[in-house]
Amino acid sequence: MISKIKEKHLWNVADTMTTMRMAASVFLLFLPLEDILFLVIYTFAGLTDVLDGYIARKTGKASEFGARLDSISDLLFYSVLLIRLFPMLYQTLPGEIWYVVVAVIFVRLTAYITAAVKYHRFASLHTWMNKLTGALVFLLPYVLLVSSGVEYCWSVCMVAFAASAEELAIHLLRTDYLVDRKSFLQKK
């Protein structure tokens, strides 16, 4: 009888970068927002987010483990960002925007739950819309240095809602799980 043996994942540079982003995210919890060190570490975390996947693909080390680690790291990074920025944003942004934020979170959680039920795993897709949302959210602390960010935050919310809805639609209507699916329209 022939059995399938799962290949053991070998730790690599991309995994190390992703883990460094996780450590940087935790460190951000303890720095004042207005401190230059906050922005330096924040920028470092953002750069590792961009580079880890690129390095993994270019070195042939892209893996399901790495993609999951990246998704968990993204979740940690954006959770820390939310924890740190929420008090300031709550005081600055109009009340109506919070209804949209709740809608985005609801659709995103629905997508995660749908994927968990359908694929029996945590599944977060790396679509173009999710990448755009991540980039826009990442820029938020820099925008807040020069303005109240109200108009910018409305734009981010609209893109985030579209990205969350696209991911939910993919999980609902597609039969296969591809972590690197770039859009709903992608055939394979």
Side-chain angles (χ1 to χ4, degrees):
M1 174 173 17
I2 299 173
S3 65
K4 285 189 177 182
I5 299 174
K6 264 192 171 178
E7 245 184 75
K8 184 178 178 186
H9 176 79
L10 298 175
W11 196 264
N12 57 63
V13 172
D15 297 336
T16 300
M17 292 182 79
T18 304
T19 304
M20 289 169 64
R21 181 167 68 257
M22 295 170 93
S25 298
V26 172
F27 196 62
L28 289 173
L29 284 170
F30 304 102
L31 293 173
L33 288 173
E34 59 280 347
D35 192 326
I36 190 70
L37 188 56
F38 180 91
L39 287 178
V40 168
I41 293 173
Y42 182 79
T43 302
F44 170 78
L47 289 173
T48 61
D49 189 21
V50 171
L51 292 175
D52 61 356
Y54 175 80
I55 289 172
R57 286 185 296 280
K58 288 299 179 188
T59 60
K61 301 294 184 185
S63 67
E64 185 175 331
F65 173 83
R68 276 194 206 174
L69 187 64
D70 182 63
S71 293
I72 292 167
S73 181
D74 288 345
L75 206 55
L76 175 63
F77 179 70
Y78 289 111
S79 296
V80 167
L81 183 61
L82 182 65
I83 290 167
R84 295 308 317 275
L85 293 179
F86 181 79
M88 181 192 337
L89 292 173
Y90 189 74
Q91 293 175 356
T92 307
L93 298 177
E96 298 82 24
I97 201 168
W98 297 106
Y99 295 115
V100 179
V101 169
V102 168
V104 169
I105 292 169
F106 176 77
V107 173
R108 178 65 58 178
L109 289 175
T110 303
Y112 289 155
I113 292 167
T114 300
V117 169
K118 189 171 187 176
Y119 307 120
H120 307 290
R121 65 168 48 166
F122 173 78
S124 177
L125 302 177
H126 297 148
T127 64
W128 291 118
M129 289 295 292
N130 279 338
K131 289 177 185 283
L132 176 60
T133 301
L136 293 174
V137 170
F138 177 76
L139 291 174
L140 188 56
Y142 304 105
V143 171
L144 293 174
L145 287 175
V146 295
S147 77
S148 69
V150 174
E151 294 83 10
Y152 185 81
C153 286
W154 275 111
S155 300
V156 173
C157 283
M158 295 302 117
V159 172
F161 186 84
S164 298
E166 178 187 43
E167 183 161 340
L168 176 59
I170 289 169
H171 290 318
L172 287 171
L173 300 174
R174 298 291 181 159
T175 57
D176 56 337
Y177 170 68
L178 297 173
V179 70
D180 283 325
R181 185 178 299 280
K182 298 302 178 198
S183 78
F184 179 77
L185 300 175
Q186 181 180 345
K187 295 196 190 259
K188 189 174 182 187

